[in-house]
Amino acid sequence: MAIAIVDYGMGNLHSVSKAVERLGYEPLVTGEREAILAAEGIILPGVGAFADAMEHLRETGLDAVMKEAAFGPKPLLGICLGMQLLFSQSEEYGRHEGLNILPGSVVRFTGDDYKVPHMGWNSLQFNNPEHPLFAGLEEGHVYFVHSYHVLPEAESHLLAVTDYGQPVTAIVGNGSVYGMQFHPEKSGELGMSLLRNFLVLTDSKA
């Protein structure tokens, strides 16, 4: 079975697809409901503005598909903007409702001691090192590019953080739903290993 990479017009589809393929899994780039829900795992990528992304999801009906998928047993991973879309709302250029799969808000970095956007390599701190997502891994550096960050309402959903003038949400998870603020496919060995561990959860190796 394939890993569905959701195509709603705003994702880094090629790099994510190639990363999934390099790890020995079958990527399926699709915007079709039936194909997404039939896949063994689902990845929601994202590049761009929160409001535009939500508009694309609503116009294609994929907002409802993502919610349906999130309440099923198959693992779902949001990457970068895709992770932010999983949350309740964002303050990026106004207030905008998200998918509300995970409770929390997306807010802009504030402060004068660091540059915005947050761009570059930062170290991860695992809040729950025993989580299957971190199996066999040690903390290390991954690659971030973002101007807004997530404040989850539930502390238990916060699986890993990084430091950028303040603790910044890096990885979230609740049940079968996960999110990575950084780009695992662009984050070297650790990023690819985290992506591999997510794919292992799908149990769908070709």
Side-chain angles (χ1 to χ4, degrees), residues 74-96:
K74 297 175 183 179
L76 165 64
L77 172 65
I79 293 177
C80 197
L81 176 60
M83 182 187 96
Q84 297 182 0
L85 295 171
L86 299 175
F87 284 84
S88 308
Q89 61 183 10
S90 172
E91 65 174 32
E92 183 178 2
Y93 303 115
R95 184 187 177 281
H96 306 283

Side-chain angles (χ1 to χ4, degrees), residues 18-38:
K18 286 298 182 184
V20 169
E21 189 174 38
R22 285 199 303 272
L23 291 170
Y25 292 77
E26 179 190 353
L28 174 63
V29 176
T30 180
E32 297 296 324
R33 174 184 178 276
E34 291 76 13
I36 292 169
L37 296 179

Side-chain angles (χ1 to χ4, degrees), residues 35-83:
I36 292 169
L37 296 179
E40 289 302 305
I42 302 161
I43 297 177
L44 178 65
V47 175
F50 188 99
D52 292 342
M54 282 304 304
E55 182 178 1
H56 282 250
L57 288 172
R58 284 191 288 266
E59 286 177 349
T60 57
L62 289 172
D63 57 335
V65 177
M66 290 299 96
K67 292 178 183 180
E68 188 175 354
F71 292 105
K74 297 175 183 179
L76 165 64
L77 172 65
I79 293 177
C80 197
L81 176 60
M83 182 187 96

Side-chain angles (χ1 to χ4, degrees), residues 44-166:
L44 178 65
V47 175
F50 188 99
D52 292 342
M54 282 304 304
E55 182 178 1
H56 282 250
L57 288 172
R58 284 191 288 266
E59 286 177 349
T60 57
L62 289 172
D63 57 335
V65 177
M66 290 299 96
K67 292 178 183 180
E68 188 175 354
F71 292 105
K74 297 175 183 179
L76 165 64
L77 172 65
I79 293 177
C80 197
L81 176 60
M83 182 187 96
Q84 297 182 0
L85 295 171
L86 299 175
F87 284 84
S88 308
Q89 61 183 10
S90 172
E91 65 174 32
E92 183 178 2
Y93 303 115
R95 184 187 177 281
H96 306 283
E97 293 186 2
L99 292 170
N100 201 29
I101 292 168
L102 297 174
S105 300
V106 181
V107 301
R108 185 171 174 83
F109 283 105
T110 58
D112 301 321
D113 299 332
Y114 46 83
K115 295 180 180 179
V116 178
H118 171 206
M119 181 181 299
W121 295 82
N122 280 77
S123 60
L124 291 180
Q125 176 184 326
F126 300 158
N127 287 7
N128 182 4
E130 304 304 315
H131 193 282
L133 204 61
F134 305 135
L137 303 183
E138 296 183 358
E139 296 174 349
H141 288 72
V142 292
Y143 188 74
F144 292 85
V145 182
H146 61 125
S147 299
Y148 292 77
H149 63 107
V150 171
L151 299 177
E153 288 184 12
E155 187 175 349
S156 62
H157 296 172
L158 191 57
L159 300 185
V161 298
T162 191
D163 181 76
Y164 193 65
Q166 60 191 288

Side-chain angles (χ1 to χ4, degrees), residues 161-194:
V161 298
T162 191
D163 181 76
Y164 193 65
Q166 60 191 288
V168 176
T169 300
I171 302 177
V172 294
N174 181 40
S176 61
V177 177
Y178 299 92
M180 298 180 187
Q181 179 61 72
F182 53 92
H183 291 272
E185 77 282 5
K186 299 178 181 178
S187 294
E189 183 177 349
L190 178 56
M192 289 294 284
S193 295
L194 286 163

